[in-house]
């Protein structure tokens, strides 16, 4: 019945920190929104060691507009264009995981340009077939800015086309 024993000391290390998983639950990848719409993003973060992640551990960003905020749900408006939206989650040990979707925010509806005639003044009188009438004006478009050249077309309700550009001359 005699026994013998020996002892050693060992250390069992925990497994390496596993990264969390990010999931974007809405909107759907490829979704399209009208300009100015409030878009609600929802997502989750889950970590093998920490479990569900919440609050500022879930960080939202757009490759076009930058940081959007944090949390499991976020509502915001975005600039016009295609956005890659990323949800980044971080666990208590600093490991991160990400999920991304692409969405499109449509441009606003096309607005008509505005034209201004600076010369001649309304009500001006000219002598038929002897006076030269100098037409001066400008135009601006909400989407394209200042318009020039062939974009400016001068016409008469009687004679039709007078000319193009910021200025044109015609004999009365």
């Amino acid at each position: 019945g005699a026994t013998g024993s020996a002892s050693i000391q060992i250390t069992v290390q925990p497994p390496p920190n596993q990264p969390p998983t990010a999931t974007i639950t809405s909107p759907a990848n490829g979704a399209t929104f009208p300009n100015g719409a409030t878009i609600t993003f929802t997502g989750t973060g889950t970590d093998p060691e920490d479990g569900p992640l919440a609050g500022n551990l879930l960080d939202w960003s757009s490759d076009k507009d930058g940081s959007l905020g944090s949390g499991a749900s976020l509502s915001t408006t975005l600039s016009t264009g295609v956005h890659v939206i990323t949800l980044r989650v971080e666990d208590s040990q600093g490991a991160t995981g990400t999920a991304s979707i692409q969405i499109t925010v449509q441009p606003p509806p096309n607005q008509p340009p505005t034209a201004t005639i600076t010369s001649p003044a309304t009500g001006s009188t000219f002598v038929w077939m002897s006076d030269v009438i100098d037409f001066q004006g400008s135009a601006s478009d909400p989407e394209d800015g200042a318009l020039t050249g062939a974009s400016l077309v001068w016409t008469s309700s009687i004679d039709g086309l007078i000319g193009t550009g910021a200025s044109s001359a015609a004999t009365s």
Side-chain angles (χ1 to χ4, degrees):
T3 61
S5 67
S7 298
I8 62 168
Q9 182 177 350
I10 62 169
T11 301
V12 178
Q13 294 185 349
N17 185 30
Q18 299 296 307
T21 302
T23 304
I24 298 175
T25 54
S26 72
N29 188 39
T32 299
F33 298 91
N35 184 60
T38 298
I39 304 167
T40 299
F41 299 99
T42 58
T44 61
T46 305
D47 184 63
E49 296 85 20
D50 297 339
L53 302 174
N56 64 355
L57 299 175
L58 286 80
D59 186 52
W60 297 90
S61 65
S62 160
D63 68 328
K64 187 172 174 70
D65 290 352
S67 179
L68 302 176
S70 61
S73 181
L74 172 76
S75 294
T76 190
T77 57
L78 298 173
S79 64
T80 300
V82 176
H83 294 258
V84 174
I85 303 298
T86 301
L87 172 60
R88 180 183 178 272
V89 297
E90 184 175 341
D91 69 12
S92 63
Q93 297 180 43
T96 60
T98 61
S100 296
I101 60 170
Q102 182 174 303
I103 64 169
T104 302
V105 176
Q106 297 173 327
N110 188 23
Q111 300 296 312
T114 302
T116 303
I117 298 173
T118 55
S119 176
T122 298
S124 296
T125 304
F126 298 93
V127 176
W128 182 67
M129 294 301 290
S130 63
D131 287 340
V132 174
I133 305 169
D134 289 318
F135 295 96
Q136 302 285 324
S138 62
S140 178
D141 184 69
E143 292 83 20
D144 298 328
L147 301 175
T148 60
S151 295
L152 302 170
V153 179
W154 296 91
T155 61
S156 162
S157 62
I158 296 172
D159 296 328
L161 180 66
I162 297 172
T164 61
S167 63
S168 187
T171 303
S172 60

